[in-house]
Amino acid sequence: MVERQIWTSNLNLWFGKNQILHNINLEAYKNHITAIIGPSGCGKSTLLRCFNRMNDPIPFMELTGKVYLDGKDIYAPKTDVYAVRASVGMVFQKPNPFPKSIYNNVAYGLQIQGKYSKSEIKDRVEESLKAAWLWDEVKDRLHHSAMSLSGGQQQRLCIARALANKPKVLLLDEPTSALDPQSTAKIEELCLALKNSVTILIVTHNVAQAGRIADYTAFLYLGELVEFEKTEQLFTVPKDKRTEAYLTGVFG
Amino acid sequence: MVERQIWTSNLNLWFGKNQILHNINLEAYKNHITAIIGPSGCGKSTLLRCFNRMNDPIPFMELTGKVYLDGKDIYAPKTDVYAVRASVGMVFQKPNPFPKSIYNNVAYGLQIQGKYSKSEIKDRVEESLKAAWLWDEVKDRLHHSAMSLSGGQQQRLCIARALANKPKVLLLDEPTSALDPQSTAKIEELCLALKNSVTILIVTHNVAQAGRIADYTAFLYLGELVEFEKTEQLFTVPKDKRTEAYLTGVFG
Amino acid sequence: MKGIKEKTFQAIAYIASLLTAVCLIAIIYGIFHDGLPLFKFISWKDFLFTNNWYPVYSPPGFGAWALIMGSFYVTLGALIIALPLSLGSAIFISEIASPGLREIAKPVIELLAGIPSVVYGLFGIAFLAPLIRQWFSLDTGLNLFTSSLILGIMVIPIICSISEDAMSSVPHSIREASLALGATKSETIFKAVIPAAKKGIIGSILLGFGRAIGETMVVLMVAGGAAQIPKSIFEPVRPMTSTIAAEMGETIMGDLHYNALFALAIVLLIITFFSNLITEIVFRPKRQK
Amino acid sequence: MNRRKGKNTFWIMMMTLMLIITAGFLVVFIVRIISLGAPVLSWKFIVEPPREAMTEGGIFPALIGTFLLTALAMIFALPSGIFTAIWLTHYGKPQWLVNILHIIINTMAGIPSIIFGLFGMAIFVNLLGFKVSLLSGSLTLAILALPVIINNTEQAIHSVPADFSEASLALGATTRQTISKVVFPAALPNILTGAIISVGRVAGETAPIMFTAATFYSRSLPHSLQDEVMALPYHIYALMTEGTHPESQVPIAYGTALVLLILVILIDATAIIIRSYMRKKRQW
Amino acid sequence: TITCSGSTTVLPIAQATAEAFMDGHPDINISIRGGGSGVGIAALINGTIDIACSSRPMKSKEITQAKSKGIEPIPYAIALDGIAVVVHPSNSISNLTIKQLKDIYTGKIKNWNELGGPNLPIVVISRDVSSGTFEVFNERVMAGAKVSSSAQLLASNNAVTTTVSTTPGAIGYAGLGFVSSKVKSVAIEKIIPSEQTVKDGTYKLARKLYMYTNGKAKGAVSQYIAFIQSSQGQKIVEKQGFISLN
Ligand SMILES: Nc1ncnc2c1ncn2[C@@H]1O[C@H](COP(=O)(O)OP(=O)(O)OP(=O)(O)O)[C@@H](O)[C@H]1O
Ligand SMILES: Nc1ncnc2c1ncn2[C@@H]1O[C@H](COP(=O)(O)OP(=O)(O)OP(=O)(O)O)[C@@H](O)[C@H]1O
Ligand SMILES: [Mg+2]
Ligand SMILES: [Mg+2]
């Protein structure tokens, strides 16, 4: 039986006067990959950023409804937002390693928490780089600048960086759209491997990608969750006209 | 019988020490659309820019061979390069309207020539905007900034701007690669309509686009003109292995 | 723990910001507080519009018209000299010069913009003024023309460097569009590049204006210092800034003369405030992003 | 058509001419200062105090005075300037306060330096009773430098891609950690460049220190913040206008001007070199 | 540190004596600024300096202002000086009356030929209103009339003599110590300014130079002033081109 890890309940979100998300109820299951697809501007990124409260700093953002992580509402007052973000990792569209060394990129999340010893950090960095399939490529130059890596390597470094915090959930916002096909394939495989240890939510504009890797797929349209189903089901027998139209390439 | 409008003869071009174009012999026929396709960096843009001498300002550019417009070599000494450019219009990949009003964008080419009266210019602006299928959308806000238009509208404005000079030839360098599908479709249709009055040369990275609109297609590879044929012929029975490889998606 | 550090950091940043605001308020308060008492003695109309600056006579005269006009003429002269030269140079560097020349010219211009004004003043008083006196066989080289010339030379690098920035940040595609329509280089510059860089250019001119009208040392050293409305460009003038600098030390706190000098500062402050406001309005749309 | 080509040639020649005239002016200016100042320049000129009623000796106290004024001004201005920029870029709430602060900073940047001098005299010298002193002068200069530093730092911070902050926040870092561990290190070279440029500016200012710090003659170096100091720019001005032995003092003024010029140009050149080096090296 | 500010006329005396004094008292530092007599007196009244140098006695208004701020100014005469009226060496005029001088400075007389000199417009050069030199000139020559607004106001004696020496039509005035061979000093009411005429008071534009302190000079300040008034100090005064008290 699948178990929910992170889910929303009647989530609405406004930027100023524009309502971006309308009453979203979406669930992501433990050890599964959930994809969010939809045309450009429909609110995919915004929804994803609700899961680690990355929309908080945006001025005039308002939110109603709840987001639960393992049953606890992460928007409840007194919630430690920094702890939430540490346990819900995020990887962005464009690889964005810090202009620091490879080692320090991965160690960053642990260093700022200030509760790990040097040797613990060292072990965790190695572990994370291995988990992100990057260790072999960088083990001899851990103290070189992360900027010297290729795009695909940088993106895997970003994944390693997020993994170092031992997150329960990993959010990926179009992680491969800036990458070449080989790097994309590698990251897709990596996702499939990672889902054994972490719940993955991935936004993608590439329907085929969702088809290839996601267990569940959600179709978002104009801020509404139109359809949320097992991927094969959504792709083969979409219930909603709009889903069908999107999958056959009418919009976007 | 097709009649040549603009053509090259043994054209070679160097940027510094790099030879970019090798002995190109390409002809574009009156009232036809000629597409230039090829992998990225093969010299498509450079070749296109030879037809209106837009490579002239590039330092260390050297050119041998000839380019004829209606039988006259446009690289001959004493040629009026400004007149050449006025009669060979050009539209770029990214829409680049001036930060002026819509009206002044279209009027620009005529205003600088200083030989048209206000009312002539006014008529010509209207005519060009109509020819570019933009008139209805902008006629009520001719004096608004061109920057307020959408990408597709901006690109049609750029076409209108080029048409205002009543060019004989229109050069389009990947005119739709920055546009959404609807706008792309509109511009393709527009090209088909315009070829009755102007000879069109279009560079595209989108093979399907060449297939849809071009009468003739040239395949450029590493600065060489590998094949130049009627489009159906080139697409169905390519003579050269490289053309075939490209069309089936091996490079680029 | 995390919370406290966080709060302290934010509080420090907040206090620093308020401190900045307090500085300006203190400046404005300080200047107005010591300047306004003058207007108990003389109406602001008489202060601004009569030509009668005899601050230490009895009864004293505080009509600052000649000083205000002095500042105005010197600034106008400086801009007349600087604008064609600086904008012309900026156009040359941005549009005509080869990349190699541009690489050199740009930092040199920036360096020149940093030269202290007192050095320009020295150059004026010791080199240019005697030369100008000889060339035009004048009574004195310390006059409106000389000070305008030096101020002009001083603001050239400032205007040039900022307007060059504005022009070179116009996207290359705008130039290509213009050339492809058959425009010549100069048509492209005047009709496509400059209109697109208009805001930055206006900003640079306003900045040059502010620098020229607020400059003290140059005019103190070379303007000649006669409180009169000049009848020709070769007569000495006494701009507001040099009046303040020359007379401030000698006054006694709370004296009317002291107030009068602060009143001049109010005039300067208001002028610079408005020229800033214009800049602000010109640049406003850009900041919104 | 020929008319248009003619116009084109004319204008290009005009622009060239403008550049040549400008360059000519500036070359005459620099060459003149150098040729007049160079003869008195010597090691002694740098390290000795003035003697014989300022007709002999060097400018050591003025050099040190300028150094102290500038260094103190930076000590006051840099932290508050940088923190203001941090507040503006990262906290900045409410929005109206940010807007007002921007207007305030731009206004301050445009205020003539003599007004800072007046303000410093009215507030620090007279009201707070710091007298004409190193302290009054450096506080005045600090306020003058503040808007420059804030603007530069803000720009430097803005030039760091938002991606970096986002990545840091998403890893659970606080705003403070994000600023101090990611944004600030990345912006540091640009912040530094801005700071160096403002050092150059402050070192050359005369009007603000005229009534707040500078003295014509003092043999020894200042012992405390309460002491008056000699300063290079004021020294030039005073020698030219209050000197009593022009034959021997004008050359000293030129020498001093040359020293100041070299100093400021070196400072600014350092900044420009750092900046272009960092721009080439920068990887984002 | 002793801070000392004021008259640019007194500046060379103050500086030269300070140097000599500091040679004998290495523990004392004297900081000297110019500005003008008014500057020095204002600073004394504002309480920001120890010694105000002045080339004129304090005005009664200034004394009242000082009193109201709790300052008790005490004058110490330190030297004698004459204000020389100077013209360009090529000028044939060699004598002027006070009346003529006043008419020149109010702008009534505009050309040297009105005084029997060359046909040359007069370029009037005056000192800054803050200077004691100006005050003395203003009091003894102008008698309350206003200096024409086209007069150039220069900030120092030095600037006056330099300008006069390079301007054929110019007239100016400066302390005796600043008169060099580059300018010609004219007689006033037929009396040439000299050590003799200044000491015996026949020269109309003679004056004493002062240092003012707040209350009786104490400690280092009184040592310094005593040094200037001593014969050693007065020698330095003469060396700087001024006239000694004794
Ligand atoms: N910071 C913001 N302030 C105001 N509106 C915003 C902000 N960020 C996004 N929006 C708006 O919210 C809507 C949804 O944006 P979002 O980035 O979530 O779309 P998306 O589905 O991720 O699109 P894409 O596929 O282009 O990334 C858009 O209309 C956008 O304009
Ligand atoms: N200004 C220039 N100076 C030197 N080399 C140039 C210049 N412009 C282009 N090149 C070189 O000329 C070659 C051809 O470039 P061109 O832009 O014509 O290719 P393209 O076929 O249009 O490629 P794309 O599909 O990416 O637009 C490239 O190798 C490029 O690096
Ligand atoms: Mg998105
Ligand atoms: Mg191209």
Side-chain angles (χ1 to χ4, degrees):
Chain A
M1 207 1 242
V2 293
E3 190 188 335
R4 301 189 294 187
Q5 178 110 43
I6 192 164
W7 66 98
T8 68
S9 148
N10 299 329
L11 185 72
N12 289 282
L13 183 142
W14 293 258
F15 286 142
K17 292 210 175 108
N18 301 328
Q19 182 160 6
I20 306 295
L21 298 177
H22 300 259
N23 206 45
I24 305 278
N25 289 292
L26 177 69
E27 309 188 327
Y29 304 107
K30 222 168 232 175
N31 303 336
H32 286 80
I33 296 180
T34 305
I36 304 173
I37 60 172
S40 183
C42 69
K44 302 183 295 293
S45 301
T46 307
L47 174 57
L48 198 71
R49 294 160 63 94
C50 287
F51 291 109
N52 64 345
R53 296 189 53 174
M54 280 295 283
N55 288 321
D56 288 15
I58 296 173
F60 308 113
M61 188 277 291
E62 264 180 82
L63 182 144
T64 65
K66 304 218 145 89
V67 178
Y68 294 97
L69 172 62
D70 286 336
K72 272 197 216 122
D73 178 11
I74 63 170
Y75 282 91
K78 301 225 175 148
T79 307
D80 180 351
V81 58
Y82 307 116
V84 168
R85 291 195 189 136
S87 59
V88 182
M90 185 160 200
V91 173
F92 300 84
Q93 177 164 8
K94 237 184 85 215
N96 59 354
F98 301 126
K100 299 172 182 272
S101 71
I102 295 169
Y103 182 90
N104 281 330
N105 260 280
V106 184
Y108 183 87
L110 304 170
Q111 283 166 347
I112 53 173
Q113 291 184 36
K115 60 182 183 195
Y116 297 95
S117 73
K118 284 236 160 123
S119 69
E120 279 174 306
I121 293 181
K122 190 153 172 280
D123 294 345
R124 193 78 81 77
V125 168
E126 180 170 341
E127 194 182 316
S128 311
L129 282 169
K130 281 180 176 154
W133 296 356
L134 196 60
W135 178 250
D136 292 332
E137 292 160 54
V138 302
K139 64 170 182 277
D140 301 323
R141 48 171 177 155
L142 286 175
H143 296 284
H144 289 209
S145 167
M147 296 303 187
S148 64
L149 299 176
S150 75
Q153 289 174 322
Q154 287 188 3
Q155 198 61 302
R156 276 180 284 143
L157 180 67
C158 292
I159 293 176
R161 185 171 66 181
L163 292 178
N165 276 336
K166 290 210 181 293
K168 297 177 180 164
V169 180
L170 193 58
L171 309 173
L172 305 165
D173 191 354
E174 308 193 9
T176 60
S177 69
L179 303 181
D180 57 294
Q182 281 99 322
S183 306
T184 301
K186 190 141 194 174
I187 294 221
E188 288 179 6
E189 274 179 71
L190 176 60
C191 287
L192 291 172
L194 285 174
K195 77 173 178 179
N196 295 317
S197 52
V198 58
T199 304
I200 293 178
L201 266 154
I202 180 168
V203 162
T204 176
H205 62 290
N206 181 336
V207 173
Q209 185 168 65
R212 284 194 294 270
I213 63 169
D215 302 302
Y216 291 82
T217 297
F219 173 61
L220 208 63
Y221 185 66
L222 296 178
E224 266 180 69
L225 183 59
V226 172
E227 207 167 336
F228 174 52
E229 276 297 342
K230 285 217 155 128
T231 303
E232 314 90 61
Q233 198 150 353
L234 187 118
F235 273 55
T236 47
V237 280
K239 293 204 191 92
D240 197 285
K241 282 247 167 76
R242 291 166 295 180
T243 316
E244 195 178 341
Y246 179 71
L247 291 174
T248 53
V250 171
F251 357 91
Chain B
M1 201 11 237
V2 293
E3 189 188 337
R4 300 191 294 188
Q5 177 109 44
I6 192 163
W7 65 99
T8 68
S9 148
N10 300 330
L11 185 71
N12 289 282
L13 183 142
W14 293 258
F15 285 142
K17 292 209 174 110
N18 301 328
Q19 182 162 6
I20 306 295
L21 297 177
H22 300 259
N23 206 41
I24 306 277
N25 290 292
L26 177 68
E27 309 188 326
Y29 304 107
K30 222 169 232 173
N31 303 337
H32 286 79
I33 297 180
T34 306
I36 304 173
I37 60 174
S40 184
C42 69
K44 304 182 294 295
S45 300
T46 308
L47 173 58
L48 198 70
R49 293 160 63 94
C50 287
F51 291 109
N52 64 345
R53 297 189 52 174
M54 280 295 282
N55 287 321
D56 288 15
I58 296 173
F60 308 111
M61 188 278 289
E62 263 180 84
L63 182 143
T64 65
K66 304 220 146 89
V67 178
Y68 295 97
L69 172 61
D70 287 335
K72 270 194 217 126
D73 178 11
I74 63 171
Y75 282 90
K78 300 224 174 146
T79 307
D80 181 349
V81 57
Y82 307 117
V84 168
R85 292 196 188 134
S87 59
V88 181
M90 185 160 199
V91 173
F92 299 83
Q93 177 165 8
K94 241 186 83 219
N96 58 354
F98 300 121
K100 297 170 180 272
S101 70
I102 295 170
Y103 182 91
N104 280 329
N105 260 281
V106 184
Y108 185 88
L110 304 171
Q111 283 166 347
I112 53 172
Q113 292 185 34
K115 61 182 183 194
Y116 297 94
S117 73
K118 285 237 160 122
S119 70
E120 279 173 306
I121 293 181
K122 188 153 175 282
D123 294 346
R124 193 78 81 79
V125 168
E126 179 170 343
E127 196 183 314
S128 312
L129 283 169
K130 280 180 177 155
W133 296 356
L134 196 60
W135 178 250
D136 292 331
E137 292 161 52
V138 303
K139 63 170 184 275
D140 301 323
R141 46 171 179 155
L142 286 176
H143 296 285
H144 289 208
S145 166
M147 295 305 187
S148 63
L149 299 175
S150 75
Q153 289 175 323
Q154 287 188 4
Q155 198 61 302
R156 277 179 283 144
L157 180 67
C158 292
I159 294 175
R161 185 171 65 179
L163 292 178
N165 276 337
K166 290 209 182 291
K168 295 176 182 166
V169 179
L170 193 59
L171 310 173
L172 305 166
D173 191 354
E174 310 193 9
T176 61
S177 69
L179 303 182
D180 56 294
Q182 280 100 323
S183 307
T184 301
K186 190 139 192 176
I187 294 220
E188 288 179 6
E189 275 180 71
L190 176 59
C191 287
L192 292 171
L194 285 175
K195 76 173 178 180
N196 294 318
S197 52
V198 59
T199 305
I200 293 178
L201 266 154
I202 181 168
V203 162
T204 177
H205 61 291
N206 182 337
V207 173
Q209 185 169 64
R212 284 194 294 271
I213 61 169
D215 302 303
Y216 291 82
T217 298
F219 173 61
L220 208 62
Y221 185 67
L222 296 178
E224 266 179 71
L225 183 58
V226 172
E227 207 167 336
F228 173 52
E229 276 299 340
K230 284 217 155 130
T231 303
E232 314 89 60
Q233 200 150 351
L234 187 118
F235 274 54
T236 47
V237 278
K239 292 204 191 91
D240 197 285
K241 280 248 166 76
R242 292 166 294 180
T243 316
E244 196 179 340
Y246 180 71
L247 290 174
T248 53
V250 171
F251 354 91
Chain C
M1 192 49 213
K2 221 174 196 171
I4 293 173
K5 273 194 188 164
E6 194 61 21
K7 288 253 159 58
T8 327
F9 189 79
Q10 183 168 1
I12 293 173
Y14 190 60
I15 290 168
S17 307
L18 290 185
L19 195 70
T20 307
V22 166
C23 284
L24 182 72
I25 293 165
I27 291 173
I28 292 174
Y29 174 81
I31 303 292
F32 276 78
H33 178 263
D34 287 346
L36 289 180
L38 179 75
F39 300 110
K40 285 188 205 129
F41 175 77
I42 175 177
S43 76
W44 62 270
K45 266 190 197 150
D46 286 346
F47 172 70
L48 290 179
F49 300 117
T50 57
N51 178 11
N52 170 35
W53 186 255
Y54 288 104
V56 294
Y57 279 81
S58 52
F62 293 118
W65 177 241
L67 313 181
I68 296 170
M69 289 321 281
S71 283
F72 173 73
Y73 285 131
V74 168
T75 306
L76 187 69
L79 288 183
I80 289 173
I81 291 163
L83 283 188
L85 291 174
S86 56
L87 295 182
S89 306
I91 292 172
F92 186 91
I93 295 172
S94 157
E95 306 297 317
I96 301 171
S98 67
L101 181 57
R102 177 160 45 231
E103 292 268 298
I104 299 167
K106 195 74 224 288
V108 167
I109 293 279
E110 282 178 27
L111 279 185
L112 291 169
I115 292 178
S117 59
V118 67
V119 179
Y120 285 101
L122 175 70
F123 173 73
I125 196 171
F127 174 69
L128 206 55
L131 217 59
I132 283 175
R133 195 180 61 79
Q134 268 177 18
W135 283 349
F136 300 96
S137 46
L138 304 172
D139 305 330
T140 169
L142 304 179
N143 55 35
L144 175 55
F145 177 73
T146 314
S147 32
S148 289
L149 185 57
I150 298 189
L151 276 187
I153 296 177
M154 191 181 106
V155 296
I156 284 174
I158 296 164
I159 300 180
C160 180
S161 133
I162 296 178
S163 49
E164 202 274 340
D165 280 345
M167 282 186 253
S168 52
S169 64
V170 171
H172 192 65
S173 65
I174 295 287
R175 294 180 185 86
E176 292 225 301
S178 170
L179 288 176
L181 288 167
T184 62
K185 185 123 202 167
S186 69
E187 286 160 353
T188 303
I189 293 169
F190 287 113
K191 301 219 163 86
V193 178
I194 290 183
K198 185 169 67 197
K199 279 179 189 163
I201 294 174
I202 293 174
S204 76
I205 295 172
L206 284 166
L207 191 75
F209 168 83
R211 270 299 175 84
I213 201 162
E215 174 49 36
T216 310
M217 299 321 291
V218 167
V219 289
L220 185 57
M221 291 165 90
V222 287
Q228 60 171 348
I229 306 283
K231 289 177 211 62
S232 87
I233 57 169
F234 294 118
E235 290 197 3
V237 290
R238 190 176 181 86
M240 290 183 279
T241 49
S242 66
T243 308
I244 296 173
E247 297 177 13
M248 180 40 77
E250 77 189 65
T251 65
I252 292 150
M253 258 180 86
D255 191 51
L256 266 183
H257 187 193
Y258 180 87
N259 297 334
L261 295 176
F262 275 87
L264 285 181
I266 295 179
V267 175
L268 271 173
L269 208 57
I270 289 173
I271 292 173
T272 43
F273 183 74
F274 275 103
S275 83
N276 261 317
L277 203 66
I278 298 172
T279 324
E280 193 80 6
I281 290 165
V282 169
F283 282 104
R284 175 72 45 82
K286 208 173 151 194
R287 173 159 297 142
Q288 257 165 11
K289 217 227 106 177
Chain D
M1 198 63 226
N2 276 331
R3 202 172 46 88
R4 283 174 60 204
K5 277 186 191 158
K7 258 192 186 166
N8 186 42
T9 319
F10 168 78
W11 277 114
I12 288 181
M13 277 164 57
M14 268 318 264
M15 299 309 162
T16 317
L17 185 68
M18 293 298 165
L19 184 80
I20 291 171
I21 296 176
T22 302
F25 269 143
L26 296 166
V27 164
V28 167
F29 168 68
I30 301 276
V31 165
R32 198 66 205 156
I33 297 284
I34 292 176
S35 69
L36 289 170
V40 299
L41 230 53
S42 68
W43 183 240
K44 275 191 175 168
F45 187 72
I46 307 286
V47 297
E48 277 187 0
R51 280 183 287 108
E52 301 297 326
M54 210 71 83
T55 57
E56 282 176 32
I59 52 169
F60 187 63
L63 204 59
I64 296 298
T66 289
F67 172 77
L68 289 175
L69 279 171
T70 311
L72 274 175
M74 284 298 133
I75 289 174
F76 295 132
L78 270 182
S80 47
I82 288 174
F83 272 108
T84 303
I86 285 176
W87 186 81
L88 283 170
T89 49
H90 281 86
Y91 295 103
K93 263 180 204 165
Q95 188 60 35
W96 61 263
L97 192 56
V98 175
N99 294 343
I100 286 186
L101 212 56
H102 275 129
I103 293 175
I104 284 180
I105 292 161
N106 288 332
T107 307
M108 271 171 85
I111 292 179
S113 55
I114 181 75
I115 290 188
F116 287 97
L118 277 197
F119 163 76
M121 189 191 72
I123 302 294
F124 301 128
V125 176
N126 291 333
L127 188 68
L128 299 178
F130 297 161
K131 299 201 172 169
V132 175
S133 65
L134 193 50
L135 182 63
S136 302
S138 48
L139 283 172
T140 308
L141 289 174
I143 294 178
L144 177 123
L146 201 53
V148 186
I149 292 175
I150 296 173
N151 274 335
N152 277 325
T153 310
E154 227 191 315
Q155 270 177 23
I157 291 179
H158 276 310
S159 74
V160 177
D163 293 5
F164 293 162
S165 318
E166 286 228 308
S168 170
L169 289 176
L171 287 166
T174 63
T175 314
R176 176 184 61 86
Q177 288 170 326
T178 304
I179 294 167
S180 61
K181 296 209 154 84
V182 176
V183 177
F184 196 77
L188 193 60
N190 281 330
I191 294 178
L192 215 62
T193 328
I196 297 174
I197 285 174
S198 52
V199 165
R201 164 107 196 265
V202 163
E205 282 289 351
T206 319
I209 56 172
M210 246 192 319
F211 313 119
T212 56
T215 185
F216 180 61
Y217 173 75
S218 167
R219 175 179 292 181
S220 66
L221 304 178
H223 299 298
S224 74
L225 288 179
Q226 306 288 341
D227 284 351
E228 301 180 348
V229 290
M230 290 178 70
L232 291 174
Y234 183 74
H235 195 59
I236 298 168
Y237 167 71
L239 281 177
M240 287 311 291
T241 56
E242 294 187 340
T244 46
H245 302 277
E247 338 59 63
S248 46
Q249 287 173 335
V250 169
I252 296 184
Y254 274 119
T256 314
L258 184 55
V259 171
L260 181 62
L261 193 69
I262 292 173
L263 213 64
V264 169
I265 287 186
L266 278 184
I267 291 171
D268 287 354
T270 315
I272 290 174
I273 290 167
I274 293 184
R275 188 184 59 194
S276 69
Y277 176 73
M278 289 326 284
R279 271 188 197 160
K280 279 196 193 111
K281 227 190 104 184
R282 185 157 69 191
Q283 293 144 320
W284 64 78
Chain E
T1 306
I2 301 173
T3 51
C4 172
S5 164
S7 168
T8 55
T9 311
V10 184
L11 197 61
I13 300 179
Q15 193 182 356
T17 53
E19 279 186 41
F21 180 73
M22 282 190 280
D23 286 340
H25 301 80
D27 51 322
I28 299 173
N29 182 40
I30 303 176
S31 165
I32 290 164
R33 242 181 313 145
S37 301
V39 173
I41 291 169
L44 188 75
I45 295 172
N46 291 336
T48 56
I49 54 166
D50 301 314
I51 301 174
C53 304
S54 178
S55 53
R56 58 169 169 86
M58 264 174 96
K59 292 185 252 179
S60 57
K61 189 177 157 217
E62 288 168 342
I63 293 173
T64 347
Q65 277 171 329
K67 293 254 162 71
S68 74
K69 296 201 168 200
I71 305 278
E72 179 76 31
I74 307 283
Y76 296 90
I78 55 160
L80 293 176
D81 185 26
I83 298 174
V85 173
V86 293
V87 295
H88 193 263
S90 68
N91 199 322
S92 58
I93 296 284
S94 60
N95 180 48
L96 287 170
T97 65
I98 295 277
K99 172 88 176 45
Q100 286 170 331
L101 209 47
K102 178 176 174 185
D103 288 347
I104 290 173
Y105 272 85
T106 51
K108 224 181 194 172
I109 298 178
K110 290 188 155 46
N111 195 305
W112 287 110
N113 63 15
E114 294 173 51
L115 299 166
N119 179 11
L120 197 64
I122 301 179
V123 180
V124 178
I125 293 171
S126 175
R127 285 292 312 281
D128 246 326
V129 290
S130 64
S131 67
T133 317
F134 173 82
E135 287 291 345
V136 172
F137 187 82
N138 193 28
E139 184 190 313
R140 311 237 176 116
V141 176
M142 304 306 286
K146 287 178 178 173
V147 172
S148 136
S149 68
S150 62
Q152 292 185 45
L153 300 183
L154 301 186
S156 69
N157 287 295
N158 172 24
V160 170
T161 50
T162 316
T163 311
V164 170
S165 73
T166 53
T167 311
I171 183 169
Y173 56 88
L176 259 187
F178 298 90
V179 177
S180 68
S181 58
K182 285 193 204 148
V183 292
K184 170 178 163 187
S185 94
V186 293
I188 302 297
E189 307 280 359
K190 300 235 165 65
I191 294 170
I192 294 276
S194 70
E195 187 175 343
Q196 183 62 39
T197 55
V198 167
K199 267 192 182 160
D200 66 19
T202 49
Y203 184 63
K204 284 280 184 289
L205 299 179
R207 57 173 169 175
K208 273 188 180 159
L209 304 179
Y210 300 94
M211 282 190 172
Y212 279 89
T213 56
N214 176 17
K216 270 228 152 17
K218 290 184 286 281
V221 176
S222 82
Q223 283 178 31
Y224 172 51
I225 291 177
F227 173 78
I228 302 174
Q229 289 173 333
S230 72
S231 62
Q232 196 191 344
Q234 289 299 307
K235 271 204 196 98
I236 299 176
V237 166
E238 285 185 348
K239 199 174 148 209
Q240 293 298 324
F242 295 87
I243 294 154
S244 79
L245 288 167
N246 16 53

